[in-house]
Amino acid sequence: MQPLLAIAWLTWKAAFRFRLFLVVAVLLLGSVVGLPLLIKDDGTARGFTQILLTYTLGTISALLGLSTLWLACGTLARDIEDCTVQVVAIKPIARWQIWLGKWLGIMSLNAALLALSGASVYGLLQWRATRLPADQQKVLRNEVLVARGSVKPASLDKEIQEETDRLLRERLQKNPDSRADIAEARKQILEQIKAEYQVVPPGYMHLWQVELGTAKQIARGQPLFLRLKFNAADKSSSGTFDGRLRVGVPRETPLWHSEVMSLAPDTFHEFEVPANYDDKGVLTVAFLNANNTSLLFPLEDGLEILYRQGGFGLNFVRGLGIIFCWMALLAALGLAAASFLSFPVAAFLSLGVLTLALSSGTISNAVAEGTLMGFNSETGRSGHSVVDVVAIPVFRAVLGVINLAKDFSPIDALSTGRCVTWGELGRAFGQIVLLLGGGIGLIGIIIFNRRELATAQVQ
Amino acid sequence: MSVTLKSILPLSLIVALLAGAGLVQQSLNRDRDQLGLTRVQPLENAPPVLAFTTVALGGFRGLISNALWMRATDLQDEDKFFEMAQLADWITKLEPHFVQVWLVQAWNMAYNISVKFKESSPGQFPDRWRWVKAGVELLRDDGLRYNPNETLIYRELAWFFQHKIGQNLDDASMYYKQQWANDMAKVFAKKKPNLDELIHPQTADQKDRARLLRETYKMDPQFMKEVDERYGPLEWRLPEAHAIYWAALGLEKAKENPTKIKEDDLITLRRVIYQSMLLSFQRGRLVSNPFAEAFEFGPNLDIIPKVNFAYEQAAQEDEKNRDHILKAHRNFLRDAVYFLYEYNRLADAGQWYKHLATKYPDKMLLDGKTNSLPANLTLDQYAVARVQGDVSDSGGHDRTKGIVEGMLVNSYRSMALGEDGPAAGFRLLAQRVWSAYESGIPKERHSAIGLNPFEDMDQEVRKRMLDSKEGEPPEVRAVLRTKLGEPPETSAPAAATNAPPEKVSNR
């Protein structure tokens, strides 16, 4: 352990010697203090807090990520190029210990910088929150500076698939000689059945029964938040549709009714409602469609129940924890690249990989469409190319690897008051640090171990 | 050549070339502007940071603007609006002379984003109003600052006032009007707008309010007065007046750059003016309701001659849309006659009825009634038929009774508000509707479908309105009693039991 710590300490010393720590710390603190002065928000306390969290944490991640890559590439590649590593390598210390020691050094620097900037953001938020009027503070404490868990109605996917298969079988039995495209017919039946679950005709009521599960205990005595979204079959001149909400079951639980509300389609609406769930912890929500057109509540995100699961402080720490995991991966990437490349090439390669990971939208589209040739939405057909045979599986694999790190969105969760759970943090550690970082680190260590250090000497 | 000379020569050359480039640059810029070779013109009124950014980034600012636009679209799809104001600010600042960028971003905020928000409590839409205001501010405070001569921006700004705030398409439109009236109340010190005191402010308060008008709302009181004289009298607490102001200012700016302006742009500006004038005629007067502590809208009848002139002028200038304009003009004249009649300005009503008859002698006055030509109807018949139209279609005793009673209620309410003109007008109209219905039914059917005598109906309505339990609010009842010469109410003891009342209200 001592050799590892010694190398880590050397990395710290180098960071201070080259003023890197100081420069990055000033930049981070400057962004935390300066951004709120420059950014234009939507005029609400909630909007300001959300934009502040998004921009400050986004800037911290970007600055810290770039400095991590830079430092990781520089600290190893430069040591090799100016032969410093030869002095270290002749000591009783294994190559893997040098590599890992540098990684530890970079990560401990990151931990210090992240803690410093994170604490500043947290302090700034709390300070600003206390200066707001009482009603705005309430909104912030309930909806943004909070860790909200979420429950959705039970998935109906199994029932829908079974019903689809049953109907398809029936139709095929009735028309055994049919030459219809079976896959297309099944798709259409599936959509019809889904529509039955989603569509609310004019004057009808849509009912959801949501089992709160463990959330029942946590949410007791606290308001819940309904998050609703619907699509409309037609346009309205005002751009909105009328609806009324009811929470609870008549004669079984207390009932809550909203007024008739003017709501826009294709967007999420949040309502604070009382926790009128029954003895089994089932919350019944009804929505009355008071329009002349049908409304559609998507099965995936038509309704969600949000409840207060914990405080903002710990949630914020967990969110920073995931950012820290990203930094660990970047440090491993930079060190691995520097294990066999010169500093400029290693930095270029690392930045290239980072850019590829950040712009995975194109890859994702190609995988979703099953071709590189694009999808024609008018004809409903995709193009086809021989290259697809190789490219699509490769893209799928690349996307799978990228998504191991990209699946997490702590900044988004923190700015919208969603809970970053311990499980999520654990998963992030497993996927990003151990699996991806570990894999890249292992490759880096093996290469570094086999490298002839003296050949890299620069005149 | 000495080392010193070697250094001085290139330096002198650099200085000379830079000076030459500086001299040529001015004429180059002028030529580029005249020949329309580039949109990248020097920014006017730009803060140093923006001027530097736009010059330093050169062509790349378009790329950055595109990237920001894509982010804005993605965020909007995900319902994350808190960043939109900032992104719109950056996008427009990166492309400050690209007018469509301003228009699209402002429209997006005022129309698309605003309706995404629900009411915070019944009838209250502060979140929507914030976004409508953001759209207006983007155009007014920044768009016009960098593009002071772009007619399209004036047209869009005027349209926001006319359509988004002025019309009733949005469920929150009444809230918008109320908020705008509140904003304007700060400028006009909660009293009837007096532009002279803002043009030549004397007191500190007047100076503050004049500054507020100029600096926050970017309006010139002198030009407001000109607009008021040309198109008014206008109610400056209502959005239509502001729609007219910005459209009129757009027309003025167009005169400064006649070569760059398309005729179609001018037509759209004029259209905003006469359409807003029509809106102003229909409900461009604020009536203070002290009982509800709120404003109500009434028609602005004094503006009729100018609306008429605006329509006739537009029809003359816009050949392409002349038929549509004349149709709208005829509708306006029909409304003008009816509103004047309703407000008991019978002489004016008669004069405009004559104008209508002269201008459109062969057009029907009542929709679907082929014989309702001006020559076949008197003013009285037209006014009653306007109210009666759907009554005679359904042939309804109940509906006629409802209309007569409704008119009487309106008459008494106008009386309570001190609006004596409409009070008399509504009463007259009620009487004419009653007479027209009564004279239209056969005598033998009178007992079956006839109405009660008009005086009885009037007494019944009056009694209901003055009823202490189910009538109008106490303040309204007190005013009505005074005006009708009735004795004040005696306060009855509160009911001691839950027993049903002896009399059942007729309402």
Side-chain angles (χ1 to χ4, degrees), chain A residues 282-328:
Chain A
V282 175
L283 186 78
T284 305
V285 178
F287 182 91
L288 173 70
N289 175 9
N291 305 282
N292 294 325
T293 189
S294 295
L295 302 181
L296 184 147
F297 288 86
L299 288 171
E300 307 77 33
D301 52 7
L303 177 86
E304 191 178 6
I305 313 284
L306 302 173
Y307 60 96
R308 192 190 169 100
Q309 199 171 18
F312 178 71
L314 210 51
N315 205 39
F316 187 71
V317 171
R318 288 191 292 262
L320 292 182
I322 294 182
I323 294 175
F324 188 68
C325 291
W326 284 337
M327 298 307 133

Side-chain angles (χ1 to χ4, degrees), chain A residues 88-123:
Chain A
V88 180
I90 54 168
K91 303 272 190 233
I93 180 169
R95 294 269 183 100
W96 67 267
Q97 285 176 318
I98 297 174
W99 199 100
L100 212 57
K102 285 198 176 288
W103 183 83
L104 274 177
I106 294 167
M107 289 315 294
S108 52
L109 270 169
N110 275 337
L113 289 167
L114 197 60
L116 183 70
S117 47
S120 309
V121 173
Y122 185 81

Side-chain angles (χ1 to χ4, degrees), chain B residues 107-134:
Chain B
W107 177 278
N108 193 37
M109 292 201 278
Y111 278 81
N112 299 338
I113 297 180
S114 67
V115 293
K116 301 270 183 187
F117 290 87
K118 59 184 170 54
E119 54 206 320
S120 57
S121 57
Q124 302 297 306
F125 294 89
D127 291 322
R128 284 195 195 179
W129 173 238
R130 191 166 32 254
W131 284 102
V132 173
K133 244 169 83 165

Side-chain angles (χ1 to χ4, degrees), chain A residues 200 203-208 226 228 230 241-247 255-263 271 273 284-291 295 297 303, chain B residues 119 122:
Chain A
V200 193
Y204 278 71
M205 204 172 237
H206 194 66
L207 206 72
W208 293 271
L226 294 188
L228 270 180
F230 64 85
F241 294 88
D242 291 341
R244 201 172 175 199
L245 271 174
R246 191 188 73 196
V247 177
L255 270 185
W256 175 87
H257 285 281
S258 74
E259 297 288 328
V260 175
M261 300 171 294
S262 156
L263 304 169
F271 306 91
V273 298
T284 305
V285 178
F287 182 91
L288 173 70
N289 175 9
N291 305 282
L295 302 181
F297 288 86
L303 177 86
Chain B
E119 54 206 320

Side-chain angles (χ1 to χ4, degrees), chain B residues 22 36 60 65 124 128 143 154 204 230 244 255 268 275 290 304 321 331 339-340 354 371 384 394 471 474 478 492 497:
Chain B
F60 287 104
S65 174
Q124 302 297 306
R128 284 195 195 179
Y154 287 100
R230 207 181 307 160
I244 295 169
K255 284 181 198 161
T268 54
Q275 286 177 347
I304 289 174
N321 295 302
N331 288 336
F339 283 8
L340 285 166
K354 211 188 260 172
N371 64 342
V384 172
S394 60
T497 68

Side-chain angles (χ1 to χ4, degrees), chain B residues 37 100 118 279 295 456:
Chain B
L37 292 176
Q100 291 301 330
K118 59 184 170 54
L279 211 56
F295 281 115
D456 288 0

Side-chain angles (χ1 to χ4, degrees), chain B residues 19 56 67-68 73 79 142 150 161 187 240 256 288 292-293 329 345 363 418 430 432 461 482:
Chain B
L68 291 175
T73 311
D79 287 345
D142 294 327
E150 279 295 348
F161 280 107
V187 174
E240 298 80 56
E256 292 172 18
S288 169
E293 291 185 350
H329 180 225
R345 287 169 60 169
K363 302 281 182 195
R432 296 276 155 84
V461 169
T482 310

